[in-house]
Amino acid sequence: MGLIDLHVHSDASDGSFPPAQVVALAKEAGLKAIALTDHDTTAGIPEALKAGEESGIEVIPGIEVSSHYEGHEIHILGLFVDPSDQGLADFLQEMRSRRGCRNEEMLHRLAADGISFTACELYGNNPDTVITRAHIARAMVQKGICSSVEQAFKKYLNYGGPYCPPKEYMEPEAVVNILLKNGAFAALAHPFLYKLGDKKTEALIARLADMGMKGLEVYHSSNHRSESRKLQEMAYRYSLFPTGGSDFHGTCKPDIAIGKGRGGLRVSELLLNDIKHCISCNGLV
């Protein structure tokens, strides 16, 4: 049985490695396939696909899109996205614009307290990257303002704090609708990270399933075994296909290894086969 990872990030968003290097790491880890799911951008997909062809790793074009649900930021994964779709491109441009406005205000508030960054400190080696809070956190560590990315998030970049204003989000239904129009396979990412509680988590899953969402990220680095079991049961109740991934970001989350998460994660390629069968039967692509 082969192993896969359907949730990884590159430096096209807040990961630390270029897409080709992410693919190389997947090869080293013995994975059969990965999905590149950067935040609000498909920019890294061409490089990843090329590297996958050269190394024999199946690369699934994907994305992770933020949305808003009852005061919580909710992430929706799209697998097998079509990056050439103009509707998706326009939607992602709007999402990046909203993210950019929030980033500008965040940097303005930090600068007012004497904390400022150069473009090089934020963008690193990729001038086209989508800037996220993780970029700012890494810059804080590099400047010696914080001892770790975790400290930067807790002290400066936590949602609702004095430096982190709210971002304008789409409703999760709107995100699912865009992904379905694109022909992608939509799945709710890491449901228990939102701290909604079991009942509200299931209500959200049911709501998105009614909208046409076909997948649920049952296996994730943040899950305890009991949480994965609960999500397995929810996926069954709402006829959703389980998916799973490490949420690999590279050096900014050094405890998460590609394909392994924090040590116990193992995602079977059988899940990917089921997803492909779902896509074929439902005409999603």
Side-chain angles (χ1 to χ4, degrees):
M1 178 191 69
L3 298 177
I4 60 174
D5 192 334
L6 300 181
H7 190 162
V8 305
H9 295 269
S10 75
D11 68 355
S13 65
D14 56 347
S16 57
F17 298 123
Q21 190 172 351
V22 173
V23 174
L25 290 170
K27 179 77 171 179
E28 290 176 13
L31 301 182
K32 297 291 186 180
I34 63 167
L36 185 66
T37 54
D38 281 314
H39 294 281
D40 301 338
T41 183
T42 59
I45 289 174
E47 180 183 326
L49 288 173
K50 183 175 184 294
E53 291 175 0
E54 293 172 350
S55 63
I57 297 288
E58 181 178 3
V59 174
I60 296 148
I63 197 163
E64 185 173 13
V65 184
S66 302
S67 62
H68 187 267
Y69 176 77
E70 295 189 356
H72 297 265
E73 181 175 334
I74 302 298
H75 292 179
I76 310 293
L77 292 170
L79 303 179
F80 295 98
V81 299
D82 176 7
S84 68
D85 174 36
Q86 190 59 48
L88 178 65
D90 292 343
F91 172 74
L92 294 179
Q93 181 57 49
E94 173 63 21
M95 294 296 292
R96 290 193 295 270
S97 176
R98 294 184 183 203
R99 183 186 290 275
C101 290
R102 194 277 302 271
N103 289 344
E104 286 181 12
E105 178 60 24
M106 190 185 312
L107 292 170
H108 174 75
R109 294 184 185 187
L110 288 166
D113 278 354
I115 302 173
S116 59
F117 309 96
T118 66
C120 182
E121 288 170 337
L122 290 175
Y123 286 86
N125 295 322
N126 186 353
D128 297 319
T129 188
V130 174
I131 295 295
T132 68
R133 292 182 301 151
H135 291 81
I136 299 173
R138 289 200 294 264
M140 286 182 164
V141 174
Q142 291 168 0
K143 291 174 75 74
I145 297 168
C146 296
S147 60
S148 67
V149 167
E150 291 76 14
Q151 185 189 57
F153 271 89
K154 289 179 181 179
K155 188 173 181 180
Y156 295 98
L157 304 175
N158 57 309
Y159 286 124
Y163 301 105
C164 190
K167 183 174 65 176
E168 287 188 51
Y169 293 103
M170 298 283 189
E171 292 298 311
E173 291 90 346
V175 175
V176 170
N177 187 51
I178 286 290
L179 292 173
L180 293 179
K181 285 183 178 179
N182 176 265
F185 176 91
L188 179 63
H190 39 62
F192 283 122
L193 273 186
Y194 312 127
K195 308 300 181 184
L196 296 170
D198 290 0
K199 288 185 178 180
K200 284 190 175 182
T201 297
E202 184 160 358
L204 172 61
I205 291 168
R207 177 173 165 179
L208 295 180
D210 284 343
M211 284 292 301
M213 182 182 78
K214 297 295 183 183
L216 185 66
E217 193 171 46
V218 170
Y219 309 103
H220 184 266
S221 293
S222 64
N223 287 357
H224 300 298
R225 287 185 179 180
S226 61
E227 291 174 326
S228 290
R229 282 196 297 270
K230 288 178 183 178
L231 291 172
Q232 286 175 333
E233 294 166 0
M234 293 181 197
Y236 179 78
R237 279 198 290 275
Y238 298 100
S239 301
L240 298 173
F241 288 81
T243 183
S246 64
D247 209 350
F248 173 77
H249 282 70
T251 57
C252 57
K253 292 185 178 180
D255 60 330
I256 296 178
I258 194 166
K260 297 181 180 179
R262 293 191 170 95
L265 185 76
R266 298 292 186 275
V267 182
S268 167
E269 65 179 333
L270 296 177
L271 296 188
L272 180 56
N273 294 340
D274 288 342
I275 291 170
K276 289 178 178 177
H277 181 71
C278 168
I279 290 171
S280 175
C281 290
N282 288 277
L284 294 178
V285 295

